[in-house]
Structures are given as C-alpha cells and as structure tokens.
Amino acid sequence: GSGKEHKKEGGRSSFSYSRSRYCSRTIITAVKFDYRKIPRSSDPRKPFIGMPFIPIVISHGKESTMPFFAMLDSGADGVLMHSDLALAIGITDIKTGTLDKTLGIGNQVVDVYYHDDIEIQIIGDNRKLQTRVGFIESDNPRQVIPLLGRTFFKHFRAVIFEENNERIELKV
C-alpha cells in the first residue's frame, strides 16, 4: 500500500498510516508526537524543557478517564499512575491489586498496587492496549506523574526517542 502521514493542526502529533490494496481499511503504522514543553522549575524565568508526554485515556470495564498526558519513560520498568486515576475508572480500592514495593523520590519505599485488566488508548490510535498498571497513593497527586514504562513499550515494534528533534515515535 501507499504510505501517508497525517499531521494534526499545530504540529503536535502525526499518524503514519497505510491503506491495504485489498480493502479500504486504514491501518495505523506509527504514532508520532512532539515533546511537550513543561516548566523546568517553579521559577518562571527558567526555560521550559521538552518531555516525551503523550495523550492517553485509560479504561477498566465500561469506565474510562478523560484524556490526560502520560510520560514515556524508558527507565521505568512498568506503568505507574496515581490512585485518583484508579477511582476515575471504577477501582474504588487499589489494594485489591497485587502489592509490590518500589523506590520513589528520595529512595523512599512506595507501595504500588498492580491491576492487570487496564486498557490504555493513545489519542489518535483506535487500539486499546491491555496493560498492567500500578497505582500509588499519595497526598499530593501532582507528585505522581503518570509513567508509561517498558511493559507498555511491548505493544509496539519500536519506540523511538528523537532527542535532537524533541519527538517520539511509536511504531505499530
């Protein structure tokens, strides 16, 4: 088939796709996103830094979140999110998941409760990816950045960080 690329207004994301010559169904072959600019610190005089955030929705059964941004993190083993997101998808007690411990900020031991039946959908990609997600309780939800680690990467043929171009590509 012939390969094409669709670019979303504002240059924030694009989707490479191909059409099969045997049917009219469109198949997404890659999803690309520009890094998201975030403040480097609380000091407004300091420059912003580009980070590999992508827009996603998570769901559990018939419940799903509103779209939000999660950071692709090749240094993280798994997928970690704040317990507020578990509540948003109908998990009222994260402790029904499998307990594991991990090191958090400042090498503090943090309890993580993993749930195997969570689906993650990247905005712009119609696939729902069954993923094991660990939920963390914290008094400050802003301290827990949603992370998509290497267990999420297994859904893709390749995950490419283009640091010089501040761009991420997920090849299906």
Side-chain angles (χ1 to χ4, degrees):
S2 64
K4 297 183 180 182
E5 188 168 298
H6 165 73
K7 210 155 178 52
K8 191 174 175 183
E9 192 173 308
R12 300 300 309 161
S13 63
S14 64
F15 311 99
S16 297
Y17 61 92
S18 63
R19 287 200 185 272
S20 167
R21 62 182 97 164
Y22 304 107
C23 68
S24 63
R25 197 170 115 194
T26 299
I27 301 167
I28 293 177
T29 57
V31 184
K32 301 176 186 178
F33 293 94
D34 291 330
Y35 281 16
R36 208 169 143 78
K37 299 287 186 185
I38 62 168
R40 185 174 282 213
S41 75
S42 59
D43 183 348
R45 295 171 295 179
K46 294 203 174 172
F48 282 54
I49 184 169
M51 300 292 288
F53 281 91
I54 65 171
I56 65 168
V57 169
I58 63 171
S59 57
H60 175 257
K62 294 182 180 185
E63 300 290 330
S64 58
T65 62
M66 296 294 291
F68 64 94
F69 284 92
M71 186 171 77
L72 287 166
D73 185 353
S74 63
D77 294 330
V79 176
L80 298 174
M81 299 185 184
H82 190 269
S83 58
D84 283 355
L85 290 168
L87 280 173
I89 57 173
I91 299 173
T92 56
D93 182 7
I94 63 168
K95 294 178 181 176
T96 59
T98 305
L99 173 63
D100 195 5
K101 298 194 181 276
T102 190
L103 289 178
I105 297 171
N107 286 333
Q108 292 181 338
V109 176
V110 177
D111 289 343
V112 180
Y113 295 92
Y114 284 94
H115 292 259
D116 295 319
D117 51 353
I118 308 300
E119 292 179 326
I120 298 177
Q121 182 176 0
I122 299 171
I123 302 302
D125 184 350
N126 60 359
R127 298 177 310 138
K128 291 186 176 184
L129 309 170
Q130 185 84 22
T131 306
R132 184 174 200 235
V133 176
F135 293 102
I136 300 170
E137 289 181 318
S138 168
D139 293 336
N140 185 355
R142 295 181 62 120
Q143 282 184 331
V144 181
I145 295 171
L147 294 179
L148 302 173
R150 290 190 323 272
T151 57
F152 179 72
F153 292 11
K154 72 179 180 182
H155 294 290
F156 303 93
R157 221 171 10 96
V159 176
I160 302 166
F161 292 85
E162 295 179 32
E163 284 298 318
N164 290 337
N165 297 323
E166 294 192 340
R167 192 165 179 79
I168 187 81
E169 179 176 3
L170 303 164
K171 291 188 175 188
V172 179

Short mmCIF file of all heavy atoms in Angstrom, two decimals, residues 21-79:
data_model
loop_
_atom_site.label_atom_id
_atom_site.label_comp_id
_atom_site.label_asym_id
_atom_site.label_seq_id
_atom_site.Cartn_x
_atom_site.Cartn_y
_atom_site.Cartn_z
N ARG A 21 -4.18 -2.65 -0.29
CA ARG A 21 -4.75 -2.60 -1.63
C ARG A 21 -5.91 -3.60 -1.78
O ARG A 21 -6.58 -3.62 -2.77
CB ARG A 21 -3.68 -2.83 -2.68
CG ARG A 21 -3.00 -4.17 -2.61
CD ARG A 21 -1.94 -4.26 -3.67
NE ARG A 21 -0.67 -3.92 -3.03
CZ ARG A 21 0.49 -4.18 -3.56
NH1 ARG A 21 0.58 -4.73 -4.74
NH2 ARG A 21 1.59 -3.87 -2.94
N TYR A 22 -6.13 -4.43 -0.75
CA TYR A 22 -7.19 -5.42 -0.81
C TYR A 22 -8.48 -4.97 -0.14
O TYR A 22 -9.51 -5.57 -0.33
CB TYR A 22 -6.72 -6.74 -0.18
CG TYR A 22 -5.47 -7.24 -0.84
CD1 TYR A 22 -4.25 -7.16 -0.18
CD2 TYR A 22 -5.50 -7.72 -2.15
CE1 TYR A 22 -3.09 -7.58 -0.80
CE2 TYR A 22 -4.34 -8.14 -2.77
CZ TYR A 22 -3.13 -8.07 -2.10
OH TYR A 22 -1.99 -8.49 -2.71
N CYS A 23 -8.41 -3.94 0.70
CA CYS A 23 -9.62 -3.41 1.31
C CYS A 23 -9.40 -1.93 1.62
O CYS A 23 -8.29 -1.43 1.54
CB CYS A 23 -10.00 -4.19 2.58
SG CYS A 23 -8.86 -3.96 3.94
N SER A 24 -10.45 -1.24 1.98
CA SER A 24 -10.34 0.20 2.19
C SER A 24 -10.01 0.55 3.64
O SER A 24 -10.02 1.71 4.01
CB SER A 24 -11.65 0.88 1.77
OG SER A 24 -12.69 0.40 2.60
N ARG A 25 -9.72 -0.43 4.48
CA ARG A 25 -9.45 -0.18 5.89
C ARG A 25 -8.09 0.51 6.06
O ARG A 25 -7.10 0.12 5.47
CB ARG A 25 -9.44 -1.51 6.64
CG ARG A 25 -9.58 -1.33 8.11
CD ARG A 25 -9.81 -2.66 8.74
NE ARG A 25 -8.64 -2.90 9.58
CZ ARG A 25 -8.31 -4.03 10.10
NH1 ARG A 25 -9.02 -5.09 9.86
NH2 ARG A 25 -7.26 -4.15 10.86
N THR A 26 -8.05 1.54 6.90
CA THR A 26 -6.82 2.25 7.18
C THR A 26 -6.12 1.58 8.37
O THR A 26 -6.75 1.30 9.37
CB THR A 26 -7.11 3.73 7.53
OG1 THR A 26 -7.73 4.34 6.40
CG2 THR A 26 -5.84 4.48 7.87
N ILE A 27 -4.84 1.36 8.22
CA ILE A 27 -4.05 0.73 9.28
C ILE A 27 -2.99 1.73 9.73
O ILE A 27 -2.17 2.17 8.93
CB ILE A 27 -3.38 -0.55 8.77
CG1 ILE A 27 -4.44 -1.54 8.27
CG2 ILE A 27 -2.53 -1.17 9.86
CD1 ILE A 27 -3.87 -2.68 7.46
N ILE A 28 -3.01 2.08 11.01
CA ILE A 28 -2.00 2.99 11.54
C ILE A 28 -0.71 2.20 11.72
O ILE A 28 -0.70 1.14 12.33
CB ILE A 28 -2.47 3.62 12.86
CG1 ILE A 28 -3.65 4.55 12.61
CG2 ILE A 28 -1.33 4.37 13.55
CD1 ILE A 28 -4.26 5.17 13.83
N THR A 29 0.41 2.72 11.19
CA THR A 29 1.69 2.03 11.31
C THR A 29 2.62 2.70 12.31
O THR A 29 3.58 2.09 12.77
CB THR A 29 2.39 1.96 9.94
OG1 THR A 29 2.56 3.29 9.44
CG2 THR A 29 1.58 1.13 8.96
N ALA A 30 2.34 3.96 12.66
CA ALA A 30 3.15 4.67 13.65
C ALA A 30 2.37 5.86 14.18
O ALA A 30 1.53 6.42 13.49
CB ALA A 30 4.46 5.14 13.04
N VAL A 31 2.66 6.19 15.42
CA VAL A 31 2.08 7.38 16.03
C VAL A 31 3.26 8.23 16.49
O VAL A 31 4.18 7.73 17.12
CB VAL A 31 1.18 7.01 17.24
CG1 VAL A 31 0.51 8.24 17.80
CG2 VAL A 31 0.15 5.98 16.86
N LYS A 32 3.25 9.51 16.12
CA LYS A 32 4.36 10.41 16.45
C LYS A 32 3.84 11.62 17.23
O LYS A 32 2.76 12.13 16.93
CB LYS A 32 5.04 10.91 15.18
CG LYS A 32 5.60 9.82 14.30
CD LYS A 32 6.15 10.41 13.02
CE LYS A 32 6.57 9.32 12.05
NZ LYS A 32 7.08 9.87 10.80
N PHE A 33 4.62 12.04 18.20
CA PHE A 33 4.26 13.21 18.99
C PHE A 33 5.49 14.07 19.23
O PHE A 33 6.58 13.55 19.47
CB PHE A 33 3.71 12.80 20.37
CG PHE A 33 2.40 12.07 20.31
CD1 PHE A 33 2.37 10.69 20.29
CD2 PHE A 33 1.20 12.77 20.25
CE1 PHE A 33 1.16 10.01 20.22
CE2 PHE A 33 0.00 12.10 20.17
CZ PHE A 33 -0.02 10.72 20.16
N ASP A 34 5.29 15.38 19.18
CA ASP A 34 6.33 16.30 19.61
C ASP A 34 6.37 16.28 21.13
O ASP A 34 5.35 16.06 21.78
CB ASP A 34 6.02 17.74 19.15
CG ASP A 34 6.12 17.90 17.64
OD1 ASP A 34 6.91 17.19 17.01
OD2 ASP A 34 5.39 18.75 17.11
N TYR A 35 7.55 16.49 21.68
CA TYR A 35 7.67 16.58 23.13
C TYR A 35 6.81 17.75 23.61
O TYR A 35 6.62 18.74 22.91
CB TYR A 35 9.11 16.84 23.54
CG TYR A 35 10.01 15.62 23.53
CD1 TYR A 35 9.68 14.44 22.87
CD2 TYR A 35 11.22 15.66 24.19
CE1 TYR A 35 10.52 13.35 22.87
CE2 TYR A 35 12.08 14.57 24.20
CZ TYR A 35 11.72 13.42 23.54
OH TYR A 35 12.57 12.34 23.55
N ARG A 36 6.33 17.62 24.80
CA ARG A 36 5.51 18.65 25.43
C ARG A 36 6.42 19.54 26.27
O ARG A 36 7.24 19.05 27.04
CB ARG A 36 4.48 17.97 26.31
CG ARG A 36 3.24 18.73 26.49
CD ARG A 36 2.20 17.82 27.14
NE ARG A 36 1.44 18.58 28.07
CZ ARG A 36 0.47 19.40 27.72
NH1 ARG A 36 0.14 19.50 26.46
NH2 ARG A 36 -0.17 20.10 28.60
N LYS A 37 6.28 20.85 26.11
CA LYS A 37 7.10 21.80 26.87
C LYS A 37 6.50 22.00 28.26
O LYS A 37 5.31 22.31 28.39
CB LYS A 37 7.17 23.15 26.15
CG LYS A 37 7.80 23.08 24.78
CD LYS A 37 9.28 22.87 24.87
CE LYS A 37 9.92 22.96 23.50
NZ LYS A 37 11.32 22.66 23.53
N ILE A 38 7.32 21.78 29.27
CA ILE A 38 6.87 21.97 30.65
C ILE A 38 7.89 22.84 31.38
O ILE A 38 9.06 22.90 30.99
CB ILE A 38 6.66 20.62 31.38
CG1 ILE A 38 7.98 19.85 31.47
CG2 ILE A 38 5.60 19.78 30.70
CD1 ILE A 38 7.92 18.68 32.42
N PRO A 39 7.46 23.51 32.45
CA PRO A 39 8.41 24.35 33.21
C PRO A 39 9.49 23.48 33.85
O PRO A 39 9.22 22.39 34.34
CB PRO A 39 7.54 25.00 34.29
CG PRO A 39 6.13 24.76 33.90
CD PRO A 39 6.11 23.59 32.98
N ARG A 40 10.69 23.95 33.81
CA ARG A 40 11.81 23.23 34.43
C ARG A 40 11.77 23.35 35.94
O ARG A 40 12.22 22.48 36.66
CB ARG A 40 13.12 23.81 33.89
CG ARG A 40 14.35 23.08 34.35
CD ARG A 40 15.54 23.63 33.67
NE ARG A 40 15.56 23.09 32.32
CZ ARG A 40 16.65 22.82 31.65
NH1 ARG A 40 17.82 23.07 32.19
NH2 ARG A 40 16.61 22.33 30.45
N SER A 41 11.21 24.45 36.43
CA SER A 41 11.09 24.66 37.87
C SER A 41 9.94 25.62 38.12
O SER A 41 9.28 26.08 37.18
CB SER A 41 12.40 25.22 38.44
OG SER A 41 12.53 26.59 38.09
N SER A 42 9.73 25.97 39.37
CA SER A 42 8.66 26.92 39.70
C SER A 42 9.08 28.36 39.39
O SER A 42 8.26 29.27 39.46
CB SER A 42 8.27 26.79 41.17
OG SER A 42 9.40 27.02 41.99
N ASP A 43 10.34 28.57 39.03
CA ASP A 43 10.84 29.90 38.69
C ASP A 43 10.46 30.21 37.24
O ASP A 43 10.95 29.56 36.32
CB ASP A 43 12.35 29.93 38.86
CG ASP A 43 12.95 31.30 38.60
OD1 ASP A 43 12.24 32.20 38.07
OD2 ASP A 43 14.13 31.50 38.92
N PRO A 44 9.55 31.19 37.02
CA PRO A 44 9.10 31.48 35.64
C PRO A 44 10.21 32.00 34.73
O PRO A 44 10.05 32.03 33.52
CB PRO A 44 8.01 32.53 35.84
CG PRO A 44 8.27 33.13 37.18
CD PRO A 44 8.96 32.08 38.01
N ARG A 45 11.35 32.40 35.29
CA ARG A 45 12.45 32.91 34.45
C ARG A 45 13.27 31.78 33.84
O ARG A 45 14.03 32.00 32.91
CB ARG A 45 13.36 33.82 35.28
CG ARG A 45 12.63 35.08 35.76
CD ARG A 45 13.47 35.82 36.74
NE ARG A 45 13.58 34.94 37.93
CZ ARG A 45 14.26 35.25 39.01
NH1 ARG A 45 14.91 36.37 39.09
NH2 ARG A 45 14.30 34.42 40.04
N LYS A 46 13.14 30.57 34.38
CA LYS A 46 13.90 29.44 33.85
C LYS A 46 13.22 28.89 32.60
O LYS A 46 12.00 28.93 32.49
CB LYS A 46 14.04 28.36 34.91
CG LYS A 46 14.89 28.84 36.07
CD LYS A 46 15.49 27.70 36.81
CE LYS A 46 16.43 28.29 37.86
NZ LYS A 46 16.92 27.32 38.76
N PRO A 47 14.00 28.37 31.66
CA PRO A 47 13.42 27.89 30.39
C PRO A 47 12.57 26.63 30.57
O PRO A 47 12.74 25.89 31.53
CB PRO A 47 14.65 27.60 29.53
CG PRO A 47 15.74 27.34 30.50
CD PRO A 47 15.44 28.20 31.72
N PHE A 48 11.67 26.45 29.62
CA PHE A 48 10.87 25.23 29.59
C PHE A 48 11.72 24.10 29.01
O PHE A 48 12.69 24.35 28.30
CB PHE A 48 9.63 25.44 28.72
CG PHE A 48 8.54 26.21 29.40
CD1 PHE A 48 8.77 27.46 29.97
CD2 PHE A 48 7.26 25.69 29.48
CE1 PHE A 48 7.77 28.15 30.60
CE2 PHE A 48 6.24 26.38 30.11
CZ PHE A 48 6.50 27.62 30.67
N ILE A 49 11.34 22.88 29.31
CA ILE A 49 12.08 21.72 28.81
C ILE A 49 11.09 20.80 28.09
O ILE A 49 9.95 20.66 28.51
CB ILE A 49 12.80 20.99 29.97
CG1 ILE A 49 13.65 19.84 29.44
CG2 ILE A 49 11.82 20.52 31.02
CD1 ILE A 49 14.58 19.24 30.48
N GLY A 50 11.52 20.20 26.99
CA GLY A 50 10.68 19.27 26.24
C GLY A 50 10.72 17.88 26.88
O GLY A 50 11.80 17.39 27.21
N MET A 51 9.56 17.27 27.08
CA MET A 51 9.45 15.95 27.70
C MET A 51 8.55 15.07 26.84
O MET A 51 7.59 15.55 26.25
CB MET A 51 8.88 16.05 29.11
CG MET A 51 9.71 16.89 30.07
SD MET A 51 11.29 16.16 30.48
CE MET A 51 10.78 14.82 31.52
N PRO A 52 8.83 13.76 26.81
CA PRO A 52 8.05 12.84 25.95
C PRO A 52 6.71 12.44 26.56
O PRO A 52 6.50 11.31 27.00
CB PRO A 52 8.99 11.64 25.79
CG PRO A 52 9.78 11.62 27.07
CD PRO A 52 9.96 13.07 27.44
N PHE A 53 5.77 13.38 26.60
CA PHE A 53 4.42 13.12 27.07
C PHE A 53 3.52 12.82 25.89
O PHE A 53 3.65 13.45 24.84
CB PHE A 53 3.85 14.35 27.81
CG PHE A 53 4.35 14.49 29.22
CD1 PHE A 53 5.48 15.22 29.49
CD2 PHE A 53 3.66 13.91 30.27
CE1 PHE A 53 5.93 15.37 30.80
CE2 PHE A 53 4.10 14.04 31.57
CZ PHE A 53 5.23 14.78 31.84
N ILE A 54 2.62 11.85 26.07
CA ILE A 54 1.64 11.53 25.02
C ILE A 54 0.24 11.55 25.63
O ILE A 54 0.07 11.23 26.80
CB ILE A 54 1.93 10.18 24.33
CG1 ILE A 54 1.79 9.01 25.30
CG2 ILE A 54 3.30 10.21 23.65
CD1 ILE A 54 1.86 7.65 24.62
N PRO A 55 -0.77 11.91 24.83
CA PRO A 55 -2.14 11.93 25.35
C PRO A 55 -2.76 10.53 25.32
O PRO A 55 -2.69 9.84 24.31
CB PRO A 55 -2.86 12.86 24.37
CG PRO A 55 -2.11 12.70 23.08
CD PRO A 55 -0.68 12.42 23.47
N ILE A 56 -3.33 10.13 26.47
CA ILE A 56 -3.92 8.80 26.57
C ILE A 56 -5.25 8.86 27.32
O ILE A 56 -5.59 9.87 27.93
CB ILE A 56 -3.00 7.80 27.29
CG1 ILE A 56 -2.78 8.21 28.76
CG2 ILE A 56 -1.69 7.62 26.56
CD1 ILE A 56 -2.11 7.13 29.61
N VAL A 57 -5.96 7.76 27.26
CA VAL A 57 -7.16 7.50 28.07
C VAL A 57 -6.94 6.12 28.65
O VAL A 57 -6.42 5.23 27.97
CB VAL A 57 -8.43 7.52 27.20
CG1 VAL A 57 -9.62 6.99 27.96
CG2 VAL A 57 -8.71 8.91 26.68
N ILE A 58 -7.29 5.93 29.93
CA ILE A 58 -7.25 4.57 30.48
C ILE A 58 -8.67 4.14 30.79
O ILE A 58 -9.54 4.97 31.08
CB ILE A 58 -6.34 4.44 31.72
CG1 ILE A 58 -6.84 5.28 32.90
CG2 ILE A 58 -4.91 4.78 31.37
CD1 ILE A 58 -6.11 4.99 34.20
N SER A 59 -8.91 2.84 30.72
CA SER A 59 -10.25 2.32 31.00
C SER A 59 -10.16 0.98 31.72
O SER A 59 -9.15 0.28 31.67
CB SER A 59 -11.07 2.19 29.71
OG SER A 59 -10.42 1.37 28.78
N HIS A 60 -11.26 0.68 32.39
CA HIS A 60 -11.41 -0.57 33.15
C HIS A 60 -12.88 -0.92 33.04
O HIS A 60 -13.74 -0.18 33.52
CB HIS A 60 -10.98 -0.33 34.60
CG HIS A 60 -11.20 -1.50 35.50
ND1 HIS A 60 -12.25 -1.56 36.37
CD2 HIS A 60 -10.50 -2.64 35.65
CE1 HIS A 60 -12.18 -2.69 37.05
NE2 HIS A 60 -11.12 -3.37 36.62
N GLY A 61 -13.20 -2.01 32.34
CA GLY A 61 -14.60 -2.33 32.09
C GLY A 61 -15.23 -1.24 31.24
O GLY A 61 -14.68 -0.86 30.21
N LYS A 62 -16.34 -0.70 31.69
CA LYS A 62 -17.03 0.35 30.93
C LYS A 62 -16.64 1.76 31.35
O LYS A 62 -17.10 2.73 30.77
CB LYS A 62 -18.55 0.17 31.08
CG LYS A 62 -19.04 -1.11 30.44
CD LYS A 62 -20.54 -1.23 30.54
CE LYS A 62 -20.99 -2.54 29.88
NZ LYS A 62 -22.41 -2.68 29.82
N GLU A 63 -15.79 1.89 32.37
CA GLU A 63 -15.37 3.19 32.88
C GLU A 63 -14.07 3.63 32.22
O GLU A 63 -13.16 2.82 32.05
CB GLU A 63 -15.16 3.14 34.40
CG GLU A 63 -16.39 2.74 35.18
CD GLU A 63 -17.47 3.81 35.19
OE1 GLU A 63 -17.13 5.01 35.12
OE2 GLU A 63 -18.66 3.45 35.24
N SER A 64 -13.99 4.92 31.87
CA SER A 64 -12.74 5.44 31.32
C SER A 64 -12.52 6.88 31.79
O SER A 64 -13.45 7.56 32.20
CB SER A 64 -12.72 5.35 29.80
OG SER A 64 -13.78 6.04 29.24
N THR A 65 -11.27 7.30 31.71
CA THR A 65 -10.91 8.65 32.11
C THR A 65 -11.13 9.63 30.97
O THR A 65 -11.34 9.22 29.82
CB THR A 65 -9.42 8.74 32.49
OG1 THR A 65 -8.63 8.42 31.34
CG2 THR A 65 -9.08 7.81 33.65
N MET A 66 -11.03 10.89 31.28
CA MET A 66 -10.90 11.92 30.26
C MET A 66 -9.46 11.82 29.75
O MET A 66 -8.59 11.27 30.45
CB MET A 66 -11.13 13.31 30.87
CG MET A 66 -12.53 13.51 31.41
SD MET A 66 -13.78 13.51 30.12
CE MET A 66 -13.41 15.01 29.27
N PRO A 67 -9.16 12.35 28.57
CA PRO A 67 -7.77 12.30 28.10
C PRO A 67 -6.83 13.06 29.05
O PRO A 67 -7.20 14.08 29.63
CB PRO A 67 -7.84 13.01 26.75
CG PRO A 67 -9.25 12.85 26.31
CD PRO A 67 -10.07 12.90 27.58
N PHE A 68 -5.64 12.51 29.23
CA PHE A 68 -4.61 13.17 30.02
C PHE A 68 -3.25 12.80 29.44
O PHE A 68 -3.15 11.93 28.57
CB PHE A 68 -4.71 12.80 31.51
CG PHE A 68 -4.47 11.34 31.81
CD1 PHE A 68 -3.20 10.89 32.17
CD2 PHE A 68 -5.50 10.42 31.74
CE1 PHE A 68 -2.98 9.54 32.44
CE2 PHE A 68 -5.29 9.07 32.03
CZ PHE A 68 -4.02 8.63 32.37
N PHE A 69 -2.21 13.47 29.90
CA PHE A 69 -0.87 13.21 29.38
C PHE A 69 -0.10 12.30 30.32
O PHE A 69 -0.14 12.46 31.54
CB PHE A 69 -0.09 14.52 29.19
CG PHE A 69 -0.53 15.29 27.99
CD1 PHE A 69 -1.51 16.25 28.09
CD2 PHE A 69 0.02 15.03 26.74
CE1 PHE A 69 -1.94 16.96 26.97
CE2 PHE A 69 -0.39 15.72 25.62
CZ PHE A 69 -1.37 16.69 25.74
N ALA A 70 0.61 11.33 29.74
CA ALA A 70 1.49 10.43 30.48
C ALA A 70 2.87 10.48 29.82
O ALA A 70 2.99 10.67 28.61
CB ALA A 70 0.94 9.01 30.46
N MET A 71 3.91 10.32 30.64
CA MET A 71 5.26 10.41 30.13
C MET A 71 5.81 9.03 29.77
O MET A 71 5.74 8.10 30.58
CB MET A 71 6.19 11.05 31.16
CG MET A 71 7.59 11.29 30.62
SD MET A 71 8.63 12.28 31.71
CE MET A 71 9.07 11.06 32.93
N LEU A 72 6.34 8.90 28.56
CA LEU A 72 7.04 7.68 28.15
C LEU A 72 8.39 7.70 28.85
O LEU A 72 9.12 8.68 28.77
CB LEU A 72 7.22 7.65 26.64
CG LEU A 72 5.95 7.38 25.85
CD1 LEU A 72 6.15 7.70 24.39
CD2 LEU A 72 5.51 5.95 26.02
N ASP A 73 8.70 6.61 29.57
CA ASP A 73 9.91 6.57 30.38
C ASP A 73 10.62 5.24 30.17
O ASP A 73 10.23 4.22 30.74
CB ASP A 73 9.53 6.76 31.85
CG ASP A 73 10.74 6.85 32.77
OD1 ASP A 73 11.88 6.62 32.31
OD2 ASP A 73 10.54 7.14 33.96
N SER A 74 11.69 5.27 29.37
CA SER A 74 12.42 4.04 29.08
C SER A 74 13.19 3.53 30.29
O SER A 74 13.64 2.39 30.31
CB SER A 74 13.38 4.25 27.90
OG SER A 74 14.34 5.23 28.24
N GLY A 75 13.31 4.34 31.33
CA GLY A 75 13.99 3.91 32.55
C GLY A 75 13.05 3.27 33.56
O GLY A 75 13.50 2.75 34.58
N ALA A 76 11.75 3.32 33.30
CA ALA A 76 10.77 2.73 34.21
C ALA A 76 10.44 1.32 33.74
O ALA A 76 10.25 1.09 32.55
CB ALA A 76 9.50 3.58 34.25
N ASP A 77 10.36 0.39 34.68
CA ASP A 77 10.03 -0.99 34.33
C ASP A 77 8.58 -1.12 33.89
O ASP A 77 8.27 -1.83 32.95
CB ASP A 77 10.25 -1.93 35.52
CG ASP A 77 11.72 -2.04 35.89
OD1 ASP A 77 12.57 -1.90 35.00
OD2 ASP A 77 11.99 -2.26 37.08
N GLY A 78 7.68 -0.45 34.61
CA GLY A 78 6.26 -0.64 34.36
C GLY A 78 5.51 0.66 34.16
O GLY A 78 6.10 1.70 33.90
N VAL A 79 4.20 0.55 34.29
CA VAL A 79 3.30 1.69 34.14
C VAL A 79 2.82 2.06 35.54
O VAL A 79 2.29 1.22 36.26
CB VAL A 79 2.10 1.33 33.23
CG1 VAL A 79 1.12 2.47 33.15
CG2 VAL A 79 2.60 0.94 31.84
#
